[in-house]
Amino acid sequence: MLEAFTLGQASANDGGFESSIAGRFDGWNGDTVVRLLDGTRWRQVDGAVVVHHAFMPSVTVYRSGTTHRMRIEGVGRSVSVEPLAAGRGAASPADGAR
């Protein structure tokens, strides 16, 4: 799934891209899985807990060293994430996050 870094408004320098969450986002719960409009799924891996309610917020996924980070519009911090293969720990099609 790392090929997702070529989608959206990717920067050649940081390998990042922009998208939106496909549906509702209720914040980070420590192991949240989000599905983006491009179909990729990302799992939070840093354990942070942040409450934030939004519908289809914009996101930026970028690399920070060897880690992927996700920044969500309106949330004051980014979290560490990992890309998921299709079908592995995936949010249901109706959910943007769990």
Side-chain angles (χ1 to χ4, degrees), residues 22-82:
R24 195 173 88 187
F25 177 72
D26 291 318
W28 299 111
N29 67 17
D31 66 350
T32 304
V33 173
V34 296
R35 183 173 56 93
L36 303 183
L37 289 178
D38 66 9
T40 60
R41 289 175 169 82
W42 297 82
R43 177 179 309 189
Q44 176 191 8
V45 295
D46 68 3
V49 176
V50 178
V51 176
H52 180 83
H53 303 288
F55 184 72
M56 297 183 70
S58 298
V59 304
T60 302
V61 178
Y62 61 96
R63 292 182 192 216
S64 178
T66 60
T67 305
H68 301 102
R69 305 280 300 170
M70 182 177 287
R71 183 175 28 246
I72 296 182
E73 177 184 26
V75 177
R77 60 164 295 182
S78 63
V79 300
S80 296
V81 294
E82 65 182 3

Side-chain angles (χ1 to χ4, degrees), residues 7-27:
L7 301 174
Q9 297 177 4
S11 163
N13 294 331
D14 66 8
F17 71 95
E18 295 178 0
S19 187
S20 293
I21 290 179
R24 195 173 88 187
F25 177 72
D26 291 318

